[in-house]
Amino acid sequence: MPIDPAVAIGADLGVTKFEWSTSDVLLYHLALGAGTDPLSTSELGYVLEDRLKVLPTFGVVAPNFRTFEPPAVTFPGIEIDLAKVLHGTQSITVHSSLPAAGRAVAHARIADVWDKEKAAVIVQEATVTTPSGDPLWTTTSSIFARGEGGFGGSRGPSGRLPAPTGDPVLEVSVPTLPQQALLYRLCGDRNPLHADPSFAAAAGFDRPILHGLCTYGIVCKALVDNLLDGDVSRVATFGTRFAGILFPGESLRVRAWRTETGYQATATATSRDNAPVLDETVLIVR
């Protein structure tokens, strides 16, 4: 049995000790498309180490930034073919502004496993602290494994965040580069789905797709730049549901509506009749 919820749920995924440098942050920002206007004061804050501000989404990739092997979906009670896996949701809550360089410890676990009959959803949580135990950030993510349902587990929650109404306070077009996925894979995700056309074809896609976490970072940056005056320290939580795919070279249409705690946003692929890419996107601000 590829999934045994009795073994998987609550499983301790161990501790990861990691560190990062300003060079890692600079590469991450460049892989998201930062620096397109090299004369912009705000853009230079992402790409020059003497004034470096860190997008909070960097915390999601920092523990595995120097991972050079394609990921394997092998956990206690879980064994899944990588080609069947898509990113479902992602969120990060930061307890203070991320430092431009540092050392940290991540404690990860399987928070839940849901049986959607035709697919399985695996939810992971990670708490990141300084080596001395001070909290830095917390991440929650889920992966969607096609064809891996039917193992007799709970279906999990079915509620969805209601779609925003009224006119958005922001609507902006954000381009991506044809080589965007090849750049972003240097940030630790070497899944061949994002680089190898034959692997992508075997997974059912016409060509390699952009990493969901790349889109996640791109949209966070667009919201920070256009709604928070580029002030990354105002981000408390940023979360999303991956509603569709984006091909490298396509443009994103990012729209945002004001909420009581910040903003709710969507991102769509403009060249494909605004097909959904990110949905139920929430930015909670300080």
Side-chain angles (χ1 to χ4, degrees):
M1 175 179 274
I3 297 178
D4 183 346
V7 174
I9 297 174
D12 187 345
L13 301 183
V15 173
T16 301
K17 296 180 180 180
F18 62 98
E19 60 184 75
W20 66 99
S21 68
T22 55
S23 293
D24 298 326
V25 176
L26 295 173
L27 175 58
Y28 175 72
H29 289 162
L30 288 169
L32 298 182
T36 52
D37 181 355
L39 300 181
S40 163
T41 300
S42 179
E43 288 298 300
L44 289 176
Y46 292 114
V47 296
L48 291 181
E49 58 274 13
D50 64 351
R51 65 202 73 178
L52 188 57
K53 56 186 179 182
V54 185
L55 276 171
T57 51
F58 175 74
V60 173
V61 302
N64 299 308
F65 201 86
R66 293 188 176 92
T67 300
F68 302 117
E69 295 298 325
V73 189
T74 302
F75 308 118
I78 298 172
E79 186 76 37
I80 295 174
D81 182 356
L82 180 61
K84 296 181 178 180
V85 170
L86 292 173
H87 210 145
T89 63
Q90 181 68 59
S91 70
I92 184 168
T93 296
V94 293
H95 305 298
S96 61
S97 297
L98 272 63
R103 294 184 298 122
V105 180
H107 300 258
R109 69 184 186 98
I110 300 293
D112 217 335
V113 178
W114 301 327
D115 186 347
K116 300 297 186 181
E117 296 184 358
K118 294 184 178 180
V121 176
I122 296 99
V123 183
Q124 299 180 57
E125 291 181 351
T127 300
V128 179
T129 67
T130 65
S132 60
D134 297 325
L136 289 172
W137 64 84
T138 302
T139 62
T140 302
S141 64
S142 69
I143 57 174
F144 184 87
R146 296 169 294 174
E148 297 292 342
F151 53 84
S154 167
R155 280 193 57 84
S158 57
R160 297 280 294 274
L161 185 67
T165 58
D167 294 330
V169 296
L170 173 70
E171 183 169 339
V172 63
S173 178
V174 183
T176 66
L177 298 170
Q179 68 270 37
Q180 198 88 52
L182 301 179
L183 286 167
Y184 188 82
R185 70 191 297 268
L186 301 179
C187 298
D189 187 344
R190 302 292 178 95
N191 187 338
L193 177 65
H194 307 295
D196 185 342
S198 60
F199 188 95
F205 299 103
D206 294 338
R207 57 190 188 275
I209 63 176
L210 191 60
H211 305 70
L213 284 182
C214 184
T215 307
Y216 176 74
I218 289 171
V219 171
C220 182
K221 180 178 182 298
L223 297 177
V224 168
D225 290 345
N226 289 281
L227 297 173
L228 306 182
D229 297 321
D231 186 354
V232 297
S233 69
R234 292 187 60 195
V235 178
T237 297
F238 182 64
T240 197
R241 183 178 70 88
F242 299 99
I245 61 170
L246 188 73
F247 293 107
E250 292 186 315
S251 291
L252 283 166
R253 180 194 188 201
V254 179
R255 306 173 78 202
W257 291 258
R258 197 179 302 278
T259 67
E260 291 183 358
T261 57
Y263 300 91
Q264 184 175 343
T266 62
T268 58
T270 56
S271 62
R272 286 183 284 117
D273 297 323
N274 284 308
V277 179
L278 298 187
D279 199 2
E280 301 183 49
T281 304
V282 174
L283 173 64
I284 298 176
V285 301
R286 292 187 173 89

